[in-house]
Amino acid sequence: MLGSSPVGSFLRMEAGCFQFLQKLWRLKYICVIIFSLCAVFYVFMMKGRLTEIKLGWDETPLSLKLLPEEKYKSMFLFDGIWLGPKNHCECVGAKKLTVYQLGNYIDKDKLAAVTERREKEFVDYQRRYPFETKDVLIAQPNTPLSYPIQGAEVMPLHTMVIPGLGFHGASTENLQVILQASFGALNTLADVSQDVVGGRGEKKLTISTPHVKLLNYILEHITYTSTEYLLDVVDLVTFTMGTHQVRFPVTIRQPGLPKLFDPGPDYNISNMVTITTKTFLRYHKLRVLLESIRQYYPNMKVIVADDSEHPEMIQQANVEQYIMPFGKGWFAGRNLAISQVTTKYYLWVDDDFVFTASTKIEKLVEVLENSNLDVVGGSVGGNDYKFKVIYEEGEDSSCLHIRYGSYHRLKGFPNCVVASGVVNFFLARTEESRRVGFDPKLQRVAHSEYFMDGLGILRVGSCNNVVVGHQPHGSAKSTREADVEKTYGRFRANTQEQVRFKLALHYFKNRMKCYTKA
């Protein structure tokens, strides 16, 4: 029989397999349908989610606004003074604050002419010191050009290879680069034809090549030659390729020769410091000062500037006395004294100070030797008066604010702080101090004016652990000394005329509108 024969068994097996495959096919179809439905559902859900995100990012109006003024105001305040963006400055009165409007100290009928002369001189100042008005450089986004943003420096009439120039994009049919300078000539050390590099030795250099490797080789060897004797100027060189353009600075600067002071093989304090002072009439005070100096520093040179009417000669070892015209003045005397210093540092003292065991000049020397300060003050009888000078620029003039106190501690010296000005007892670097100088027009009471002129030049600190004494007032031991003190007092006090002159001087010389003092 067929059913029991081997053939029949094979046919039945074949039929069962066919039915099984049919079931698998139907199951696969169902799975495909289920999977497709899931995919549709997932896409639908994600579309909704993406729509939410898109609405949140692109379609919801963005809030583009600044913080309220009360929230950001503190960011621009220093000691209560607004130092944020503005076109002009003002000096506003407040409690315990003295305000000087400098234009009020010039005759009204002369003010316009004085202001006109001042602005003419200011234009000349800006021409001579162009670094005061540097351009702002903005780096363009996603440029394929590399270039130096700092450090490209050349001496006048010298040549240098500009570091860092390069192109970091893909090759095109023709690559063209243009470099253009204002104060110098451009060239390349690469040995290529004029068809590739044009304008050699001129202010405008053109490079044309389809080869990126060759282009970068040329750029790596671009030279800049200073063609004018300029001492301190920044040339903004333009670097252009297609739609990409950048500007980078090349500084033309003539380094100065260093001026070094030999401290001697043993670094003896007397070879490093000269004591300077200015005297007027009060020889009894001066002799006390000199005696106290000799007690602690017997070999240190002392320079005395003297503008007394009838000078008394000081015949002492290591004392140099320079006689000036009568009543020449306070700052003229300081200039004279410091002009004769031959040591690295000078110590300024008033002629009525007195050295004590706490007057350790070595401590002040240690500060200047191990910091970047130019001037470091001490304490006069426990008073380590120091102050800050805060400067506000304006389009028409500037404002200055003097505030008591300091900025922060001097790193490495727990007894010292950083400030803008200090008392009349200070150690200073001789060369840096000479750069600033003391205005000889200021004849009587003047001190902070030196630090005002030194703003941005002198780095100043104050240490309260070095103390000099102050001779007591009214210590005259004779009628003659009492008469001298009385005469000295008449010369020392500022008259209203001298105050007016000093404030008018600030108006013109420092281009100041006003200043405040607390």
Side-chain angles (χ1 to χ4, degrees):
M1 295 178 60
L2 183 61
S4 59
S5 68
V7 175
S9 298
F10 175 78
L11 291 174
R12 285 194 299 272
M13 185 183 298
E14 187 179 42
C17 288
F18 181 76
Q19 291 176 355
F20 179 73
L21 291 173
Q22 283 183 322
K23 290 180 180 180
L24 284 178
W25 176 256
R26 286 195 295 267
L27 183 61
K28 180 181 179 181
Y29 183 75
I30 293 172
C31 289
V32 169
I33 293 175
I34 293 173
F35 179 80
S36 300
L37 290 173
C38 290
V40 171
F41 179 76
Y42 177 79
V43 170
F44 177 80
M45 292 297 293
M46 286 305 297
K47 183 179 179 181
R49 178 59 180 159
L50 289 172
T51 301
E52 290 178 5
I53 295 174
K54 184 177 180 182
L55 285 173
W57 285 356
D58 297 337
E59 297 180 13
T60 303
L62 295 177
S63 178
L64 301 177
K65 62 180 181 179
L66 296 176
L67 289 169
E69 183 178 343
E70 61 271 14
K71 288 190 176 182
Y72 71 75
K73 186 176 182 180
S74 61
M75 297 166 60
F76 296 99
L77 287 176
F78 182 79
D79 267 14
I81 302 167
W82 176 269
L83 298 180
K86 57 190 170 186
N87 294 324
H88 67 283
C89 63
E90 298 290 343
C91 297
V92 182
K95 188 178 181 181
K96 297 183 179 180
L97 191 68
T98 304
V99 178
Y100 299 94
Q101 301 293 344
L102 303 182
N104 295 338
Y105 297 90
I106 298 174
D107 294 339
K108 291 183 178 179
D109 58 337
K110 299 178 181 178
L111 181 58
V114 169
T115 302
E116 183 179 353
R117 292 200 309 274
R118 183 187 73 172
E119 294 311 298
K120 180 179 180 298
E121 291 299 312
F122 182 63
V123 170
D124 183 60
Y125 173 84
Q126 289 182 311
R127 178 184 61 81
R128 290 177 53 79
Y129 300 98
F131 59 85
E132 297 288 345
T133 54
K134 287 184 177 179
D135 292 336
V136 176
L137 294 181
I138 305 297
Q140 299 300 315
N142 300 321
T143 176
L145 308 177
S146 63
Y147 51 95
I149 59 173
Q150 184 177 320
E153 187 168 312
V154 63
M155 287 193 289
L157 306 180
H158 284 59
T159 298
M160 51 90 71
V161 176
I162 302 175
L165 294 182
F167 171 66
H168 305 275
S171 179
T172 62
E173 183 177 343
N174 190 28
L175 301 171
Q176 186 178 65
V177 168
I178 299 174
L179 290 157
Q180 188 157 5
S182 297
F183 302 122
L186 299 166
N187 210 325
T188 180
L189 301 178
D191 186 6
V192 292
S193 68
Q194 292 183 357
D195 294 336
V196 177
V197 176
R200 286 177 179 266
E202 300 177 3
K203 292 182 178 180
K204 184 177 180 180
L205 190 73
T206 303
I207 307 170
S208 301
T209 176
H211 306 292
V212 173
K213 186 175 181 180
L214 177 59
L215 173 62
N216 279 324
Y217 183 78
I218 296 170
L219 290 174
E220 287 172 11
H221 297 89
I222 294 293
T223 63
Y224 179 99
T225 300
S226 166
T227 55
E228 299 179 58
Y229 191 76
L230 303 171
L231 299 183
D232 195 357
V233 169
V234 175
D235 192 347
L236 294 176
V237 179
T238 304
F239 182 12
T240 305
M241 180 173 183
T243 59
H244 302 290
Q245 184 178 86
V246 298
R247 300 171 77 199
F248 60 87
V250 172
T251 302
I252 305 169
R253 178 178 291 124
Q254 176 60 63
L257 292 174
K259 296 181 181 178
L260 307 180
F261 296 86
D262 187 0
D266 55 356
Y267 282 81
N268 187 285
I269 188 74
S270 296
N271 294 328
M272 299 182 71
V273 178
T274 301
I275 298 174
T276 56
T277 191
K278 158 75 173 57
T279 196
F280 178 69
L281 304 177
R282 300 188 301 178
Y283 292 103
H284 57 289
K285 298 282 190 183
L286 176 62
R287 287 191 170 88
V288 172
L289 169 65
L290 294 176
E291 183 179 348
S292 69
I293 291 173
R294 290 294 161 249
Q295 181 180 351
Y296 297 100
Y297 299 97
N299 300 317
M300 189 170 288
K301 182 189 289 186
V302 180
I303 294 178
V304 179
D306 185 351
D307 63 346
S308 302
E309 186 173 12
H310 304 290
E312 297 179 17
M313 301 310 297
I314 305 296
Q315 304 290 343
Q316 292 187 20
N318 294 319
V319 174
E320 295 181 1
Q321 182 182 15
Y322 293 88
I323 307 303
M324 306 168 62
F326 172 60
K328 187 63 176 175
W330 175 241
F331 270 11
R334 279 192 172 186
N335 272 334
L336 173 57
I338 294 169
S339 73
Q340 300 305 304
V341 173
T342 59
T343 53
K344 184 176 183 178
Y345 304 113
Y346 73 89
L347 181 78
W348 183 265
V349 294
D350 286 353
D351 63 354
D352 60 349
F353 287 172
V354 59
F355 276 41
T356 70
S358 299
T359 313
K360 298 290 186 182
I361 302 176
E362 293 85 351
K363 292 184 178 180
L364 298 179
V365 170
E366 182 184 4
V367 173
L368 293 191
E369 288 282 293
N370 295 281
S371 72
N372 68 344
L373 295 185
D374 301 307
V375 179
V376 57
S379 168
V380 180
N383 176 19
D384 61 333
Y385 175 74
K386 61 267 183 186
F387 57 91
K388 298 169 285 187
V389 179
I390 304 164
Y391 178 64
E392 287 188 275
E393 286 185 302
E395 291 182 350
D396 55 345
S397 53
S398 62
C399 303
L400 211 66
H401 309 280
I402 298 178
R403 298 291 184 269
Y404 174 78
S406 59
Y407 299 111
H408 54 77
R409 290 284 174 189
L410 178 63
K411 186 177 181 181
F413 297 92
N415 295 104
C416 306
V417 295
V418 175
S420 297
V422 292
V423 292
N424 273 352
F425 173 55
F426 59 82
L427 185 76
R429 298 182 187 272
T430 303
E431 201 56 42
E432 279 69 16
S433 191
R434 284 173 180 160
R435 284 181 60 202
V436 177
F438 299 87
D439 193 336
K441 291 181 180 179
L442 299 172
Q443 294 184 317
R444 296 197 180 181
V445 179
H447 178 67
S448 59
E449 288 78 10
Y450 167 65
F451 294 102
M452 290 162 65
D453 284 344
L455 188 65
I457 301 173
L458 296 177
R459 291 161 289 201
V460 183
S462 177
C463 302
N464 60 15
N465 61 334
V466 182
V467 185
V468 70
H470 198 288
Q471 299 177 44
H473 295 289
S475 58
K477 297 178 181 178
S478 65
T479 303
R480 181 176 178 276
E481 289 183 4
D483 291 341
V484 168
E485 292 283 1
K486 189 179 297 183
T487 303
Y488 174 83
R490 290 200 300 269
F491 278 93
R492 184 181 188 279
N494 258 335
T495 65
Q496 288 298 317
E497 182 180 355
Q498 288 168 329
V499 171
R500 186 180 183 88
F501 171 81
K502 181 165 68 172
L503 296 174
L505 179 66
H506 285 312
Y507 179 86
F508 194 104
K509 186 183 82 171
N510 302 120
R511 197 173 178 260
M512 283 168 50
K513 175 192 297 183
C514 58
Y515 83 91
T516 65
K517 192 173 183 179

